[in-house]
Structure formats: structure tokens, C-alpha cells
Amino acid sequence: MMQLETALQTKWAGRKVFWQEEIDSTNVWAKKYARDFGSEEMQGALFLADKQTAGKGRFDRIWVSPSGENIYMTLVLWKPPIEPWKASQLTLVMGLSAAQAAKEISGVRAGIKWPNDVVMSGKKICGILTEMHMEKDKPEYIIIGVGINVNQKKFPVELCEKATSLYLECKRELDRISLVAKVMEHFEDHYERFLQTGDLSLLKEDYERILLNKDQQVRILEKGEESRGIARGITPLGELLIENTDGTMRKVFSGEVSVRGLYSYV
Ligand code: BTN
């Protein structure tokens, strides 16, 4: 991973790289490593694999992870100075970083479907899974897993409608290392801004600029119930602000709900 080290312009994010050709899941690997060998030096460690045999998605879904074409990586934050209930906000910080990096590398506009799916032409190109380990009442480590569909040429029929890759969107193969480096650079910068206020206040404007749900009708699926409203933006805590059909406002928290467009995924 010498190439990554040369490409990176960060102080700490991705400075220590672990690479495996094949692994069950980079999230599982990073967690085991942090558990067994955890120390200050783990701050910013990045676990990368070319293929995952048991890639994990949100809501216990599977993240299909073929070899040779995509990015599967997990970033470790060691003893982050944040309250545990704020960990999910880091998923939005990473979503913003991945969307900006994907756009810069491919030249194609990338948007965000709240809370953290990165989307091009209405289809997902990137998913993020954040996990935390607590020691007493503080996070000992938070790991942020990122999967980006980079050079994948084909998707199984069941995913075709919902998933795409940068290759399919910009019609050329892209360098995975440069993309990883760009994601790390944006993340480091955004994370430092996040720590300044302990929330998303300083990132909200950038996030909302590419938030695809903004001013759109959404369906909110919550504990088996479906309701509708118009998404108006996010709060500094990363909740989605919804204007209800009667004009009142409410906030929805990412752990609890799933949001869809009226007729489509976004
Ligand atoms: C989602 O459901 O959208 C989240 C998908 C997260 C996938 C990435 S790939 C690298 C890391 N390792 C995993 O097992 N999952 C995450």
C-alpha cells in the first residue's frame, strides 16, 4: 500500500494501512484488531481489502463485495472525544466526505440520500456502516466502514435498479487508491470541524447542498408504520427535518427509520 501512502495528504487519517486481498469483513477485522492491539497508534488506522466474503450492510443486510473492482475499507477512530450517542453523526460526516471525493474523482455529481447513502442518477454507489465499542461510558473506538462501487461493470438483477458504480456513471475506469486518498482527506478535514462544535453545525451547509431529499416528498418507515412529509434539511445533530402534511415540523433520527422517495429509492 505504498501507493496510498504517497497519494495521501493527511495528518492522521489513513496514515497506518492494513491490507488483505480477502477478508470476511473489514469492519470485523478492524474491530478485532482494535480489541486485541488497541492503542493510541490506532487513531486513523485504515483496514482495506480487495474482496469481502461476509461484507455487512446496515440493518443486518449483506454487502456484496466482489474482488478487483471496488473499495471496502474501515477507518478507526481511537478514543474519540465524543459522547456515544453522537457516534451516528460520524456516518453523515463520512457520507459527505465520500460524496465529495466521488465527485472530484469521476466528475459526476454525487448526492446524499439521508442519512448516508451516496447516490448518482438515483442509484447508490456507496454505503457506510459505523460501529462503536464502549469502555465504561465512553467510546473506546469507533469504526467507520465504507463500501464504494468503483469499477464494477455489472450488478445482479436484484440490485440493478438500486445500485450503480462510478464506472457505469462516468464510463471510465478510476483509480481506487486516489479515491481512497480523497475520502481520507475530506474526512480528516470534516472530522476536525465536527470536533470544534461536537456536532454537524459547521458541515450542515455543505451536507444540505447535496442532500437529494431536500424539499422532496418522502415516505418515512418507522416501526412498521408509514407516514409522509417533505424533507427540509437536517438538524445540527444529523436528524432529518420533516414538514408534516399539516405544516408542523418534526425530526427523525437515523437509527429508527428508513426514508424513501414517494415513487423510488431516493
Ligand atoms: C449499507 O448498508 O449501506 C452499509 C454498507 C457498508 C459496507 C462497507 S464495505 C466495508 C465495510 N465492511 C463491511 O463489512 N461493511 C462496510
Side-chain angles (χ1 to χ4, degrees):
M1 282 290 113
M2 279 307 288
Q3 290 157 291
L4 179 57
E5 279 156 32
T6 345
L8 269 179
Q9 296 187 4
T10 56
K11 296 193 290 277
W12 51 267
R15 281 275 151 215
K16 193 166 191 171
V17 175
F18 298 83
W19 188 84
Q20 289 269 8
E21 200 157 304
E22 184 178 316
I23 197 81
D24 48 359
S25 148
T26 55
N27 271 26
V28 172
W29 179 24
K31 273 190 292 187
K32 276 194 199 138
Y33 200 95
R35 185 194 63 202
D36 296 343
F37 308 106
S39 74
E40 298 301 317
E41 288 187 14
M42 290 292 291
Q43 171 66 358
L46 186 65
F47 292 77
L48 276 159
D50 186 53
K51 172 184 177 175
Q52 295 184 122
T53 51
K56 300 197 296 174
R58 295 174 72 214
F59 308 116
D60 288 325
R61 292 189 194 121
I62 293 169
W63 187 259
V64 184
S65 313
S67 68
E69 37 200 21
N70 298 328
I71 292 173
Y72 315 111
M73 63 179 182
T74 300
L75 179 69
V76 178
L77 300 174
W78 184 256
K79 298 201 170 158
I82 63 175
E83 296 154 73
W85 63 273
K86 289 186 172 175
S88 62
Q89 293 179 39
L90 295 174
T91 309
L92 282 77
V93 177
M94 185 57 91
L96 176 63
S97 312
Q100 291 171 331
K103 182 189 167 206
E104 286 161 15
I105 295 283
S106 69
V108 178
R109 271 180 53 178
I112 297 182
K113 173 183 170 290
W114 181 87
N116 58 262
D117 287 353
V118 181
V119 171
M120 282 182 179
S121 359
K123 297 179 185 179
K124 179 158 160 175
I125 56 148
C126 165
I128 298 164
L129 180 65
T130 299
E131 299 180 68
M132 168 169 61
H133 181 262
M134 303 267 288
E135 186 189 52
K136 301 207 181 83
D137 51 354
K138 292 202 181 85
E140 184 179 31
Y141 47 89
I142 292 179
I143 59 149
I144 309 177
V146 186
I148 309 179
N149 304 332
V150 186
N151 293 321
Q152 191 164 342
K153 316 258 165 354
K154 270 193 182 155
F155 285 89
V157 230
E158 64 277 12
L159 285 180
C160 271
E161 296 279 296
K162 267 189 72 174
T164 186
S165 67
L166 293 173
Y167 173 85
L168 293 174
E169 297 306 310
C170 75
K171 307 286 184 286
R172 64 196 158 88
E173 295 229 0
L174 297 170
D175 178 41
R176 288 183 285 171
I177 301 281
S178 318
L179 181 53
V180 171
K182 274 261 173 296
V183 176
M184 289 300 113
E185 285 159 24
H186 282 296
F187 184 83
E188 181 174 290
D189 191 47
H190 294 333
Y191 179 66
E192 289 179 359
R193 279 201 277 162
F194 175 84
L195 290 184
Q196 277 178 37
T197 59
D199 64 19
L200 301 164
S201 306
L202 300 174
L203 301 169
K204 187 170 137 39
E205 205 180 302
D206 284 353
Y207 182 94
E208 287 183 337
R209 196 172 301 131
I210 56 170
L211 176 63
L212 297 166
N213 310 100
K214 196 168 174 352
D215 301 323
Q216 300 296 315
Q217 293 255 22
V218 289
R219 292 185 293 141
I220 301 129
L221 316 170
E222 202 169 2
K223 299 182 193 112
E225 303 258 308
E226 181 179 315
S227 57
R228 288 180 183 199
I230 300 172
R232 290 301 186 195
I234 57 163
T235 68
L237 302 182
E239 302 139 312
L240 188 66
L241 268 175
I242 302 285
E243 185 179 323
N244 298 314
T245 35
D246 64 2
T248 57
M249 300 295 287
R250 72 169 156 140
K251 301 167 191 168
V252 300
F253 184 70
S254 69
E256 296 156 3
V257 302
S258 167
V259 166
R260 293 275 179 280
L262 226 42
Y263 305 108
S264 59
Y265 157 66
V266 177

